[in-house]
Amino acid sequence: MVARGIMLGPDQPVILHLLDIEHAAESLNGIRMELTDAAFPLLKGVVATTDVVEACKDVNIAVMLGGSPQKEITLRKDMLSTNASIYKAQALILEEHAAADCKVSVVPNPANTNALILKQFAPSIPKENITCLTRLDHNRALGQIADRLKVHVSDVKNVIIWGNHSTTEYLEVNHATFTTRNGERPVREHVADDHWLKTEFITTMQQRGVAIIKARKASSAFSAAIAACDHIRDWVFGTPKGTWVSMGVYSDGSYGIPPRLIYSFPVKCEKGKWSIVQGLKIDEYSRAMMDATAKELIEKKSLAKSCLE
């Protein structure tokens, strides 16, 4: 998808740097051969390597896919210690070898905490340039609401993923709208089942990744790749007017969320920069849910610090 311009547009040539661990070198070379055979007009080169320094050299965009994988029986907290050491090591290499304007998106769980560790050990990369992926959950929420309303997913916008990419994340539709023949209408007016929104909708989304693992015996693949492309594309090119997306970004204290956490907010993007959407009304239920997921992130931040020490 990157080589076809889905992430960076149909006019942007790319050189792909592909990094994998040593025992996957043969498979990685196979991917390199397939990329060559596909004859993508935008693909100007492929660096397929097991050397992290070579992989990070002068990169402008880093989509971090490495980490201790989540299995069906593995809780995210159990992955934290292993991932802390991985992201410290990779951050140090990015710090030294990546381009000064490098944009980073961290995908593997615990994504928010992995991104925070990376930020700590890559201090010269601007904090605004280190993010984590919550776009998959955002896209999933759009799909669930569209199914509920019996409309096309492209007609729904402005759901929000608040907080940690975990089972505590809060999916809010209070500000979401969908397009009708008579213009945009609030989702809450037409999904009148408050019980469904606060129970089945949220639990379905929070457990969606686990459900896919149970079905596939592996984590989300295609949908996660689409979300990673969406995340970078909107960050680079901007979000449509009147539309926001969800991104895990460095908290500045907006909405009462403690600063210095990587927390998922609604953001608008313009000219390669994101900004948190301000002024949204937060009801009492949402406040409690947002604070609960922030509390988990604070706990994980503390645990990660102890692991690194």
Side-chain angles (χ1 to χ4, degrees):
M1 288 186 282
V2 178
R4 294 194 69 173
I6 290 174
M7 177 184 283
L8 294 172
D11 301 315
Q12 177 59 61
V14 295
I15 299 173
L16 291 177
H17 287 217
L18 311 179
L19 174 68
D20 213 327
I21 55 179
E22 197 69 45
H23 85 260
E26 186 176 358
S27 175
L28 182 63
N29 188 50
I31 293 172
R32 183 195 60 77
M33 289 189 287
E34 285 213 89
L35 285 166
T36 300
D37 293 350
F40 295 109
L42 292 175
L43 188 59
K44 300 303 181 183
V46 179
V47 177
T49 183
T50 59
D51 181 343
V52 67
V53 172
E54 184 181 16
C56 292
K57 182 69 173 174
D58 297 329
V59 293
N60 302 105
I61 292 172
V63 180
M64 311 299 289
L65 301 173
S68 178
Q70 184 186 1
K71 301 296 185 181
E72 186 174 339
I73 60 172
T74 305
L75 295 175
R76 285 171 177 157
K77 287 182 179 178
D78 298 331
M79 296 186 290
L80 189 54
S81 179
T82 300
N83 283 312
S85 61
I86 291 171
Y87 277 85
K88 176 182 177 180
Q90 296 201 347
L92 293 170
I93 301 300
L94 280 171
E95 166 76 6
E96 186 174 354
H97 297 284
D101 64 348
C102 182
K103 285 178 164 60
V104 183
S105 175
V106 176
V107 176
N109 287 316
N112 301 60
T113 306
N114 288 341
L116 193 63
I117 293 166
L118 193 148
K119 181 208 164 293
Q120 179 181 348
F121 291 98
S124 71
I125 297 177
K127 61 181 183 296
E128 295 83 6
N129 281 22
I130 296 177
T131 66
C132 80
L133 186 74
T134 55
R135 185 59 175 269
L136 177 54
D137 305 85
H138 183 98
N139 288 350
R140 285 169 173 167
L142 292 174
Q144 290 294 311
I145 292 297
D147 282 349
R148 184 77 175 185
L149 293 172
K150 307 301 181 187
V151 299
H152 193 272
V153 69
S154 63
D155 293 327
V156 184
K157 68 178 185 179
N158 294 352
V159 299
I160 302 172
I161 309 299
W162 296 101
N164 191 18
H165 187 240
S166 75
T167 55
T168 68
E169 70 184 10
Y170 174 46
L171 297 90
E172 186 201 326
V173 300
N174 294 339
H175 309 282
T177 63
F178 72 105
T179 302
T180 72
R181 293 177 181 177
N182 299 317
E184 290 187 359
R185 303 300 304 166
V187 166
R188 287 301 301 261
E189 282 187 7
H190 294 264
V191 181
D193 189 345
D194 198 57
H195 178 74
W196 179 80
L197 285 169
K198 291 182 178 180
T199 56
E200 184 181 340
F201 171 63
I202 289 177
T203 55
T204 297
M205 291 295 90
Q206 288 176 338
Q207 297 295 327
R208 186 70 162 188
V210 174
I212 289 173
I213 289 169
K214 287 181 178 179
R216 296 188 66 241
K217 310 306 177 189
S219 295
S220 304
F222 179 69
S223 58
I226 286 286
C229 287
D230 289 347
H231 176 105
I232 298 294
R233 184 194 65 242
D234 285 344
W235 190 1
V236 171
F237 292 104
T239 48
K241 185 177 181 179
T243 300
W244 61 68
V245 294
S246 301
M247 288 174 62
V249 299
Y250 196 66
S251 174
D252 61 359
S254 293
Y255 297 101
I257 300 305
R260 296 181 293 278
L261 293 176
I262 301 288
Y263 188 98
S264 183
F265 289 95
V267 304
K268 293 181 179 179
C269 302
E270 185 178 6
K271 297 180 180 179
K273 298 183 182 298
W274 56 262
S275 62
I276 297 171
V277 177
Q278 299 294 335
L280 299 177
K281 185 177 179 180
I282 306 299
D283 62 24
E284 186 177 345
Y285 177 78
S286 296
R287 178 78 270 161
M289 297 292 282
M290 291 162 64
D291 289 346
T293 191
K295 180 181 177 182
E296 184 186 43
L297 281 171
I298 292 168
E299 292 170 353
K300 286 193 174 184
K301 179 180 178 180
S302 177
L303 181 58
K305 182 178 179 181
S306 66
C307 290
L308 290 164
E309 289 172 349

